[in-house]
Amino acid sequence: MTSQLESRVREVCREHGSDPVRLLDIARAVQSEFHGVSQQSIDAIADEIRVPRVTVEACVSFYSFLSVEPRGEITIRLCDDVPDRLAGYETVRDAFIEALGIPLGGTTPDGRFTLERTACIGLSDQAPAALVNEVPVTDLSSDRAREIVASLTEHGDPKRLVRKLGDGNNAHPLIQSMVHNNLQYPGEILFSPYNRGEAIRKALAMSPAEVIRSVKTARLRGRGGAGFPTGMKWDFAREVEAERKFVICNADEGEPGTFKDRVLLTERADRVFAGMTIAAYAIGAGEGVLYLRGEYAYLLPFLEQRLERRREEGLLGTSVIGKEGFDFDVRIQLGAGAYVCGEETALINSLEGNRGDPRDRPPFPAQSGFRSSPTVVNNVETLCCVTRILEKGPATFCEFGTPQSAGTKLLSISGDCRLPGIYEVPFGLPLREVLELAGGETAAAVQVGGPSGKLVGPEDFDRRICFDDLATGGALVVFGPERDLLSIVSAYTEFFIEEGCGHCAPCRAGMPAMLDLLERVRAGRGESADLDRLRELGDTIRRTSRCGLGQTAPNPILTSLEGLAAEYESRTEDNDTGLQRSFDLDAALEPAQAIPGRAPSHP
Ligand SMILES: Cc1cc2nc3c(=O)[nH]c(=O)nc-3n(C[C@H](O)[C@H](O)[C@H](O)COP(=O)(O)O)c2cc1C
Ligand code: SF4
């Protein structure tokens, strides 16, 4: 007999066309309605969309926002990223634990609440922060945590936790969020006034090849981290003959400490969609997808409305602004909490309804990506730059920046500084000047580019923010002199261990080995040979990992070994005695002692 649950799950599948490519949406919808994707739901989904059961199970087990075990009606996801820890995460966590009477990871016996920790949710400038279902709550304290639990117990509505709306579009009726933009330093490219349709009109008056030439003349490089020349990527996709081509906007923004794309999506959504449309025209694509990280689901109704308005204005749809033969539209895909899905091939797997495992390259997405078709993947900020280049021409864009890094860079600054938030600065600005702008002059170290970037000390503060010096996807986390820098390195290393997909051994096995060595050193039991081991292991993992996650995962340790050598040496220099200090006799004996249940009699 078909249960109520099964028939409803089948209905959810049919609402998504029983299309296997929509598996992630289906699983998200089932999770939100039933607070979990149970074994019975997995059976029903697999049968309804006609994929092996294991495909559905693999998808559900991969994403942190999905779970086979039932979760509470309300899930509180407390962000434990480094800026949150600096701002008091532990006291807030303890207050939630006490008020709810459950441990982290637990669910209340009445099934109302689940309390979890989560990696960066893109709110580092207003930390400590959490998501209550999809509602962001910011600037938490232990008192506020207790109040939140009391209000939710009373009315059960996370939206009613928002007492004061944030600035700009955060107060829009379709967002109604307490999030703030903290736009401290708007620049002349991304945050300049904007006329909807201007860039598209100018682009469509040119040939696709001319549009690509403009982007190349502007020397635009991707803002998602790797800095690949955008015009060149578009050329690759344009050259491939194919029935279908796709443009994907990467709005996964999972690099801890990065929140610039959130602000662009909130305040410059039309610039992003215009950039996607221009990219589509340039490469000959008809379909676009904006992959929005699950943490930003609260922006979805607003972004959908912006898309609808563009359709009504003829800026999307059949014959965009009357251009015969150019049809283009965009849909939004929500992610479900997986950092690795920001890697473009993992993102494409996720879009196709699979686990977000990275793919082998080649083929590159521009040759064969989404649905095996040529696909351009660009970052939110890159697409905003495209729009500006088409609005004002490449020369205006190149007035900012350096020869290798034209234009401006949007920085998300958080941590120990007086003015955390968003800064649009010309490429080439020395880090020291950026720190002065943000009120972080007393910094002892800065994590540039998130954990996959570099941890640098004061001797690097005169280096410049640009691709050929201190490259960054956008995150700067500032650490004051009182911070224990190696505990920060350890937290970032744990982040990579948790977020790796597990596919390849160097990343899966090598990173925990690096963390073990680091912990020995931190505990004062390491020797200088351990530092050499860390360097060797890190180098091997960098060279042999399959995707960018593993290739950058050793960076927090390797770059701090370079930039903050004294931190390590002070913990190891007294240990180079020839005895193997790193060997912990008590820890080694522990398992053997546990069997008879007694400790050794020797002192
Ligand atoms: C683990 C990992 C996570 C990534 N996360 C993001 C992300 O959140 N946003 C992004 O634009 N690029 C991210 N990237 C880079 C993308 O793979 C890709 O290079 C980028 O989206 C291309 O856009 P761009 O050329 O405009 O920079 C990530 C890469 C790796 C290895
Ligand atoms: S490097 Fe890590 S994240 Fe990348 S494929 Fe290998 S295991 Fe997965």
Side-chain angles (χ1 to χ4, degrees), residues 222-228 230 233 250 252-255 261 339-340 342-344 377-380 382 547-549:
R223 301 319 201 218
F228 193 82
T230 307
K233 189 189 285 190
N250 189 342
D252 198 51
E253 189 153 70
E255 188 72 36
D261 292 344
Y339 164 68
V340 72
E343 196 280 334
E344 57 187 3
V377 181
N378 275 131
N379 173 254
V380 170
T382 313
C547 85
L549 188 150

Side-chain angles (χ1 to χ4, degrees), residues 87-107:
Y89 157 80
E90 283 181 16
T91 50
V92 174
R93 176 199 62 196
D94 293 346
F96 271 117
I97 289 175
E98 197 192 310
L100 290 166
I102 48 172
L104 214 52
T107 297

Side-chain angles (χ1 to χ4, degrees), residues 130-416:
L131 287 173
V132 180
N133 287 351
E134 292 177 351
V135 176
V137 287
T138 58
D139 295 313
L140 292 171
S141 61
S142 44
D143 283 349
R144 180 74 180 124
R146 283 186 279 272
E147 264 173 47
I148 286 176
V149 174
S151 334
L152 289 172
T153 307
E154 193 194 314
H155 55 65
D157 180 3
K159 288 196 180 124
R160 286 174 60 185
L161 298 174
V162 179
R163 290 182 302 204
K164 196 161 172 255
L165 295 174
D167 55 340
N169 282 333
N170 291 299
H172 188 282
L174 291 173
I175 301 184
Q176 298 276 293
S177 153
M178 67 191 290
V179 170
H180 279 271
N181 291 325
N182 284 334
L183 187 50
Q184 307 285 6
Y185 197 82
E188 291 180 50
I189 291 184
L190 299 162
F191 287 103
S192 55
Y194 171 69
N195 175 345
R196 265 199 321 279
E198 181 187 349
I200 294 186
R201 266 181 210 100
K202 290 188 174 165
L204 268 57
M206 303 179 190
S207 72
E210 282 167 342
V211 170
I212 297 182
R213 201 171 311 129
S214 273
V215 172
K216 283 184 173 172
T217 310
R219 303 193 305 274
L220 177 63
R221 296 173 66 171
R223 301 319 201 218
F228 193 82
T230 307
M232 197 190 287
K233 189 189 285 190
W234 290 10
D235 250 347
F236 292 146
R238 180 170 172 69
E239 279 160 12
V240 184
E241 290 285 329
E243 289 237 323
R244 292 174 88 178
K245 295 186 186 179
F246 296 91
V247 171
I248 294 175
C249 171
N250 189 342
D252 198 51
E253 189 153 70
E255 188 72 36
T258 316
F259 45 88
K260 62 171 183 93
D261 292 344
R262 161 173 61 75
V263 178
L264 286 175
L265 291 165
T266 308
E267 299 302 330
R268 289 294 181 272
D270 275 295
R271 272 219 161 111
V272 181
F273 294 134
M276 291 180 76
T277 313
I278 293 163
Y281 176 66
I283 70 161
E287 295 157 80
V289 185
L290 182 126
Y291 188 95
L292 182 67
R293 70 184 309 214
E295 290 81 349
Y296 295 168
Y298 73 101
L299 293 175
L300 183 66
F302 169 77
L303 293 172
E304 293 284 15
Q305 186 259 351
R306 286 297 193 254
L307 284 175
E308 199 44 47
R309 187 171 73 178
R310 295 182 76 79
R311 287 182 196 112
E312 284 161 11
E313 291 174 346
L315 297 168
L316 284 176
T318 312
S319 304
V320 174
I321 58 157
K323 180 93 176 177
E324 210 48 44
F326 176 46
D327 308 337
F328 180 68
D329 211 331
V330 175
R331 79 170 176 90
I332 301 176
Q333 171 72 59
L334 272 180
Y339 164 68
V340 72
C341 284
E343 196 280 334
E344 57 187 3
T345 61
L347 186 154
I348 289 169
N349 265 339
S350 171
L351 264 185
E352 291 181 355
N354 301 314
R355 280 167 54 96
D357 291 329
R359 296 178 176 177
D360 287 324
R361 296 184 297 179
F364 291 92
Q367 302 157 308
S368 173
F370 184 45
R371 294 178 182 260
S372 305
S373 303
T375 304
V376 154
V377 181
N378 275 131
N379 173 254
V380 170
E381 185 184 344
T382 313
L383 292 163
C384 286
C385 290
V386 164
T387 305
R388 186 63 176 167
I389 291 166
L390 270 294
E391 274 164 17
K392 294 287 169 217
T396 310
F397 188 80
C398 294
E399 279 169 14
F400 302 90
T402 70
Q404 295 303 317
S405 310
T408 58
K409 184 74 197 84
L410 204 55
L411 301 174
S412 324
I413 306 187
S414 63
D416 297 325

Side-chain angles (χ1 to χ4, degrees), residues 5 53 64 72 76 131 218 227 239 301 323 346 353 380 387 441 475 478 487:
L5 169 81
R53 187 183 193 287
S64 68
I76 300 171
L131 287 173
E239 279 160 12
K323 180 93 176 177
V380 170
T387 305
E441 302 88 337
V478 182
S487 78

Side-chain angles (χ1 to χ4, degrees), residues 65-89:
F65 283 15
L66 305 176
S67 66
V68 177
E69 294 307 319
R71 282 185 178 149
E73 289 156 35
I74 297 174
T75 298
I76 300 171
R77 291 194 177 89
L78 194 52
C79 176
D80 75 350
D81 188 25
V82 166
D84 298 72
R85 295 187 197 195
L86 302 184
Y89 157 80

